[in-house]
């Protein structure tokens, strides 16, 4: 009998001998009778990993909810906010390759626990600038000493304000003093460093945690367990955005100033919430999440289905190859030098896998689309539909993200219930992307008109529109007030037009009723007023047009359906990733996958999304030294086309790459599956012949266990 027949007879023998357990497994589970406690340890690991995913996802969701708050507090543009957001991925980039490769051969639970400690410290560091910066004093601009106090002229107040022309007239010492005070805005660097440290700590959680579950869970439960973890990870951002909504209602300097003296509300475009408070809570959760991992063993016994070499695993049904014995002998420990020597060959093996490379490219492009969309979604809702930061975070956390969680969980249920193979999982992954981005196209029609801002989107006479060359904040009605162009303190006139400031509206007096500031005798308001009278206005920006709330409702409905459809393919994509590579390279492959997503999507996507969004800015703010700050007003049409168009373009590219994955997988599947059936038939005949001719033999040697039987493409 030839050698190949012997191998096949061993592979499909119906009564194989039980494999000898490794010595390292006997420490945690020395006998089959103790399998139940070990199963309990796997459940403990599942619960601990789920809580860690919840903690890190809460912090990530909270960061997204505070993007606009950080932008206003530090007075920085969207492109710089994108760099801060990408610092998390930079932290991953520094260590992900080594952690995923060497960590898979070390004590994985303890490495995850150490990462949680680093992640907690980094999250708390983000909040530290609040305790060293100057107080946010935007509310002191118009603050009469008592209610209904008249005769405070905005024109008179603006005479001493800082403008590009008045800077040169001031003494150099005073300018230097103001610039030194303005240096506190550079403390965004600490936010950058804290987020980078948070990325360092998060590095081992995904590649080591998911691979640990997939190693010791049964084939039927692996997809379900991963689906549970990913679902909990989506629940985290729900609480993160809700926490962001709550903190956005609290004033930034709460506990440091008298709140009775604050004259602005959360609806005011200059409002900044207590963005720092949520980071302290998220950091504490990350520190608590580290505790269980220090009590878990290095390894657990494999499930019965995976230990039995005669069992037909889901992978071996269609992917075959020669068995590779990659397990260490009992009592043998792999040396660090040997692991380093195998690094390049392992990387070469991954890069030669066409399915893995194509899926990696498709996922990277798709995550570019998703990262950019999620990062600036609160800003999009604020600018496009006129919602406050608190409401935008509330709607995203309570409506949008649960749809994502339900979609991911549904994907895991479908995989488990219908026992889908890799080929069917790829079809589900591709189908969800196609339908999801088709639905996303409908959002182009659900936009609002630009708000009427005198001198920017409409003329002072109220006519529309104003071209780029015609934009001018000064007019005859406000020429005598000597206002500053750099200020952004919007006032809503009785005529429904927003003015950049009360001074530019030509207002002669102001009074305060409670926390509302009312401006009177505004000459520019009279130019577009339908009737004559006491032309007045109120502090704050005018509401969007009447049809905008209805458009926002439609936007929420389409966004929920789109989020569910796209996330439905999450777990099938994960299973494709885990099943298309050698079992011993799972952690390494997940690490390279995470590295590619972080470097090519997580870092650049928020940056170039922010740069392109900044091109739609109509009104920039200025810092005390005269340098450009954050954008105060965006062109709604340009913002919508850039935000939605870039997301759709990247999604379309990822769909074509996913089609290439399906094509290559189908070609491999058909050829390998037909070859497998032929080999299996030969093996059955060979095994039957061997039984008939070996009746006199006392013992037939059984094959040793090699997990490499769960083979690869």
């Amino acid at each position: 009998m030839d050698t190949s027949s012997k191998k096949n007879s061993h592979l499909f023998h119906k009564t194989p001998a039980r494999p000898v357990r490794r010595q390292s497994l006997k420490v945690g589970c020395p006998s089959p009778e103790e399998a139940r406690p070990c199963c309990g340890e796997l459940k403990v690991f599942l619960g601990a990993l789920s809580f860690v995913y919840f903690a890190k996802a809460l912090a990530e969701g909270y960061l997204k909810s505070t993007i606009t708050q950080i932008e206003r507090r530090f007075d920085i543009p969207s492109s710089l906010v994108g760099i801060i957001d990408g610092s998390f991925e930079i932290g991953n980039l520094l260590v992900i390759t080594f952690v995923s490769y060497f960590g898979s051969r070390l004590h994985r639970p303890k490495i995850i626990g150490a990462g949680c400690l680093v992640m907690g410290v980094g999250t708390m560091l983000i909040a530290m600038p609040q305790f060293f910066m100057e107080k946010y004093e935007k509310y002191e601009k118009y603050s009469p000493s008592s209610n209904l106090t008249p005769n405070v002229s905005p024109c008179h107040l603006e005479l001493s304000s800082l403008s590009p022309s008045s800077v040169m007239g001031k003494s150099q010492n005073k300018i230097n003093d103001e610039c030194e005070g303005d240096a506190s805005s550079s403390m965004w660097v600490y936010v950058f460093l804290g987020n980078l440290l948070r990325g360092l700590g998060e590095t081992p959680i995904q590649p080591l945690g998911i691979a640990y579950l997939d190693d010791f869970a049964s084939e039927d439960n692996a997809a379900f367990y991963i689906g549970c973890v990913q679902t909990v990870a989506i629940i985290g951002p729900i609480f993160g955005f809700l926490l962001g909504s709550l903190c956005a209602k609290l004033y930034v300097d709460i506990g440091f100033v008298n709140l009775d003296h604050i004259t602005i509300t959360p609806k005011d475009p200059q409002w900044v919430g207590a963005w720092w408070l949520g980071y302290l809570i998220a950091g504490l959760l990350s520190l608590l999440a580290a505790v269980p991992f220090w009590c878990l063993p290095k390894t657990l016994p494999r499930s019965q289905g995976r230990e039995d070499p005669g069992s037909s695993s889901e992978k071996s049904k269609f992917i075959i190859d020669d068995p590779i014995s990659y397990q260490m002998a009992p009592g043998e420990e792999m040396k660090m030098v040997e692991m380093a020597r195998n690094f390049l060959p392992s990387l070469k093996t991954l890069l030669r896998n066409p399915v893995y490379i194509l899926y990696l490219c498709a996922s990277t492009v798709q995550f570019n689309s998703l990262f950019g969309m999620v990062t600036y979604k609160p800003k999009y809702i604020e600018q496009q539909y006129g919602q406050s930061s608190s409401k935008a975070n509330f709607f995203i956390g309570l409506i949008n993200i649960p749809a994502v969680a339900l979609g991911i969980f549904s994907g895991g249920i479908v995989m488990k219930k219908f026992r889908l193979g890799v080929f069917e999982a790829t079809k589900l992954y591709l189908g969800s992307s196609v339908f999801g981005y088709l639905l996303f196209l409908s959002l182009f029609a659900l936009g609002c008109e630009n708000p009427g801002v005198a001198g920017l989107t409409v003329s002072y006479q109220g006519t529309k529109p104003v071209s780029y060359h015609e934009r001018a904040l000064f007019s005859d009605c406000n020429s005598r007030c000597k206002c500053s162009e750099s200020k952004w303190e919007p006032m809503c006139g009785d005529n429904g037009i927003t003015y950049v400031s009360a001074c530019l509206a030509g207002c002669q007096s102001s009074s305060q009723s409670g926390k509302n500031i009312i401006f009177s005798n505004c000459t520019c308001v009279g130019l577009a007023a339908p009737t004559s009278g006491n032309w007045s206005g109120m502090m704050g920006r005018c509401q969007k047009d009447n049809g905008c709330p209805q458009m926002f409702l439609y936007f929420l409905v389409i966004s929920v359906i789109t989020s569910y459809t796209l996330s439905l393919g999450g777990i099938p994509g994960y299973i494709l990733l885990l099943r298309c590579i050698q079992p011993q390279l799972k952690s390494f492959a997940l690490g390279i996958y995470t590295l590619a997503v972080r470097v090519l999507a997580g870092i650049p996507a928020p940056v170039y999304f922010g740069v392109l969004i900044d091109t739609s800015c109509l009104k920039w703010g200025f810092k005390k030294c005269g340098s450009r700050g954050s954008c105060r007003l965006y062109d709604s049409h340009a913002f919508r086309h850039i935000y939605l168009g870039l997301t759709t373009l990247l999604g379309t590219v990822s769909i074509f790459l996913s089609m290439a994955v399906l094509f290559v997988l189908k070609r491999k599947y058909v050829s390998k599956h037909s070859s497998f059936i032929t080999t299996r038939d030969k093996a059955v005949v060979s095994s039957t012949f061997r039984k008939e001719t070996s009746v006199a033999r006392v013992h037939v040697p059984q094959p040793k266990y090699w997990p490499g039987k769960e083979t690869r493409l």
Side-chain angles (χ1 to χ4, degrees):
M1 186 180 301
D2 57 1
T3 306
S4 61
S5 298
K6 291 181 180 180
K7 290 182 180 179
N8 290 328
S9 64
H10 287 185
L11 177 62
F12 295 100
H13 204 281
K14 294 184 178 180
T15 59
R18 296 285 297 175
V20 179
R21 296 180 184 271
R22 293 179 292 175
Q23 186 177 356
S24 60
L25 295 181
K26 290 185 179 181
V27 176
C29 213
S31 63
E33 288 77 7
E34 297 182 11
R36 187 175 301 275
C38 292
C39 180
E41 288 178 338
L42 181 61
K43 297 295 179 61
V44 170
F45 181 84
L46 175 63
L49 186 65
S50 299
F51 184 71
V52 170
Y53 263 74
F54 172 81
K56 78 182 186 69
L58 182 143
E60 184 65 21
Y62 186 77
L63 176 66
K64 302 296 185 185
S65 72
T66 57
I67 287 295
T68 56
Q69 307 288 318
I70 292 175
E71 182 177 333
R72 284 197 285 260
R73 183 65 177 98
F74 296 96
D75 206 9
I76 53 179
S78 297
S79 56
L80 191 53
V81 172
I83 295 176
I84 293 176
D85 184 72
S87 62
F88 178 85
E89 325 300 342
I90 296 176
N92 270 261
L93 167 64
L94 297 176
V95 294
I96 183 63
T97 304
F98 301 101
V99 168
S100 60
Y101 183 74
F102 294 105
S104 62
R105 290 146 173 87
L106 303 174
H107 199 300
R108 286 181 283 186
K110 287 187 177 180
I111 294 177
I112 295 175
C116 293
L117 296 177
V118 177
M119 186 169 59
V121 173
T123 305
M124 290 187 170
L125 180 61
I126 297 177
M128 289 300 104
Q130 173 62 24
F131 301 98
F132 302 101
M133 293 180 65
E134 294 181 347
K135 301 299 181 292
Y136 188 70
E137 298 177 347
K138 297 292 185 182
Y139 62 91
E140 291 184 351
K141 182 61 183 175
Y142 302 108
S143 183
S145 57
S146 61
N147 288 348
L148 299 177
T149 302
N151 301 325
V152 178
S153 174
C155 289
H156 176 71
L157 291 176
E158 289 292 348
L159 288 177
S160 60
S161 63
L162 181 67
S163 64
S165 60
S166 63
V167 169
M168 301 304 296
K170 291 189 175 184
S171 63
Q172 190 64 35
N173 292 334
K174 190 171 183 180
I175 295 176
N176 293 336
D177 292 340
E178 290 182 348
C179 289
E180 289 177 2
D182 192 43
S184 61
S185 62
S186 63
M187 294 191 73
W188 61 266
V189 174
Y190 291 96
V191 181
F192 176 89
L193 294 177
N195 202 33
L196 183 136
L197 194 61
R198 193 172 68 87
L200 283 173
E202 191 267 350
T203 302
I205 296 175
Q206 178 181 350
L208 301 187
I210 295 297
Y212 193 91
L213 273 182
D214 192 64
D215 281 343
F216 302 115
S218 64
E219 292 254 348
D220 293 337
N221 291 331
F224 179 71
Y225 285 167
I226 296 174
C228 291
V229 171
Q230 297 293 338
T231 302
V232 173
I234 296 299
I235 296 176
I238 295 177
F239 286 89
F241 275 95
L242 292 180
L243 181 61
S245 176
L246 175 63
C247 293
K249 293 181 180 179
L250 305 176
Y251 190 68
V252 59
D253 291 323
I254 185 173
F256 300 95
V257 297
N258 188 348
L259 299 181
D260 294 333
H261 295 166
I262 298 175
T263 58
I264 58 176
T265 65
K267 295 182 180 180
D268 194 282
Q270 292 190 109
W271 175 273
V272 175
W275 62 274
W276 51 273
L277 186 59
Y279 290 109
L280 299 179
I281 299 174
L284 181 61
L285 289 178
S286 297
L287 294 177
L288 292 177
V291 176
F293 291 99
W294 297 95
C295 307
L296 289 168
K298 179 179 179 181
T299 57
L300 294 174
R302 292 180 178 271
S303 63
Q304 181 71 22
R306 291 196 174 188
E307 283 192 352
D308 188 359
S311 64
S312 178
S313 68
E314 183 264 336
K315 286 176 284 187
S316 62
K317 291 178 183 177
F318 64 95
I319 308 175
I320 65 168
D321 210 329
D322 295 330
I324 298 178
S325 179
Y326 66 90
Q327 281 190 289
M328 294 179 291
E332 180 183 350
E333 294 291 339
M334 180 175 287
K335 297 180 180 179
M336 191 67 66
V337 177
E338 296 178 0
M339 289 191 291
R341 186 183 300 116
N342 293 331
F343 178 82
L344 290 179
S346 299
L347 179 62
K348 191 175 181 180
T349 301
L350 287 180
L351 297 180
R352 287 182 174 179
N353 190 325
V355 175
Y356 178 79
I357 293 299
L358 285 173
Y359 176 75
L360 187 65
C361 295
S363 297
T364 301
V365 176
Q366 186 176 36
F367 274 111
N368 269 274
S369 171
L370 298 179
F371 282 155
M373 178 183 66
V374 173
T375 299
Y376 295 102
K377 193 166 190 176
K379 176 188 279 289
Y380 180 77
I381 293 177
E382 291 179 41
Q383 296 294 331
Q384 188 69 215
Y385 301 103
Q387 302 295 324
S388 65
S389 297
S390 178
K391 284 188 176 181
N393 294 329
F394 179 79
F395 286 127
I396 294 175
L398 196 63
I399 299 177
N400 197 260
I401 298 182
V404 177
L406 182 61
I408 291 179
F409 187 75
S410 300
I413 292 294
V414 170
M415 291 291 298
K416 178 178 174 63
K417 183 176 179 60
F418 297 100
R419 302 176 65 88
L420 299 181
V422 173
F423 189 64
E424 290 76 14
T426 307
K427 288 182 178 179
L428 180 58
Y429 168 74
L430 176 60
S432 66
S433 297
V434 172
F435 286 108
Y437 283 106
L438 285 177
L439 288 171
F440 194 80
L441 290 174
S442 62
L443 296 180
F444 280 94
L446 303 178
C448 295
E449 294 294 328
N450 275 318
V453 181
L456 294 178
T457 60
V458 297
S459 66
Y460 276 89
Q461 289 73 28
T463 58
K464 291 186 179 182
V466 176
S467 65
Y468 178 80
H469 300 287
E470 296 174 343
R471 291 173 189 167
L473 295 179
F474 291 108
S475 179
D476 294 336
C477 61
N478 57 26
S479 58
R480 65 183 182 84
C481 290
K482 301 194 182 300
C483 307
S484 170
E485 286 185 290
S486 62
K487 297 296 183 181
W488 172 254
E489 293 164 348
M491 185 209 77
C492 180
D494 290 340
N495 53 10
I497 297 177
T498 300
Y499 296 87
V500 173
S501 67
C503 178
L504 288 171
C507 299
Q508 305 300 317
S509 62
S510 67
S511 61
Q512 181 177 352
S513 176
K515 290 189 176 182
N516 295 323
I517 299 178
I518 301 174
F519 302 97
S520 305
N521 299 323
C522 303
T523 56
C524 293
V525 175
L527 292 179
T531 59
S532 61
N534 184 19
W535 305 308
S536 61
M538 185 177 296
M539 178 71 101
R541 195 162 55 185
C542 296
Q543 296 294 324
K544 290 272 189 174
D545 56 85
N546 296 331
C548 200
Q550 187 176 9
M551 286 291 184
F552 180 58
L553 179 61
Y554 295 152
F555 169 82
L556 290 178
V557 173
I558 298 298
S559 180
V560 166
I561 299 175
T562 302
S563 300
Y564 175 82
T565 306
L566 288 174
S567 59
L568 189 64
I571 295 302
Y574 244 106
I575 296 303
L576 170 62
L577 176 64
L578 292 172
R579 297 294 184 259
C580 72
I581 41 90
Q582 298 178 9
Q584 71 270 26
L585 296 179
K586 272 187 294 191
S587 293
F588 189 43
L590 281 172
I592 297 298
Y593 172 81
T594 306
L595 173 66
V597 170
R598 303 295 192 196
V599 176
L600 303 178
I603 296 175
V607 176
Y608 65 74
F609 262 81
V611 170
L612 292 176
I613 288 173
D614 280 342
T615 60
S616 65
C617 183
L618 294 176
K619 171 61 179 172
W620 286 99
F622 290 90
K623 299 181 181 180
K624 294 180 180 179
C625 293
S627 60
R628 195 173 74 174
S630 59
C631 183
R632 311 304 193 193
L633 180 69
Y634 289 91
D635 185 339
S636 297
H637 298 294
F639 195 166
R640 181 171 69 253
H641 293 153
I642 291 173
Y643 176 75
L644 299 180
L646 190 56
T647 302
T648 305
L649 176 63
L650 293 170
T652 303
V653 175
S654 70
I655 288 175
F656 282 107
L657 290 172
S658 299
M659 290 180 178
V661 172
L662 186 65
F663 175 77
V664 174
L665 191 63
K666 182 177 181 180
R667 187 175 59 182
K668 291 282 184 180
Y669 175 84
V670 172
S671 60
K672 293 287 186 180
H673 189 61
S674 59
S675 175
F676 174 71
I677 294 176
T678 305
T679 307
R680 183 180 61 182
D681 293 340
K682 292 180 180 179
V684 171
V685 174
S686 176
S687 179
T688 305
F689 175 78
R690 182 171 181 173
K691 285 183 179 180
E692 293 175 353
T693 57
S694 60
V695 177
R697 297 182 182 179
V698 178
H699 176 69
V700 177
Q702 301 295 336
K704 295 181 179 180
Y705 170 58
W706 45 276
K709 178 179 72 63
E710 297 176 358
T711 50
R712 63 193 189 283
L713 281 174

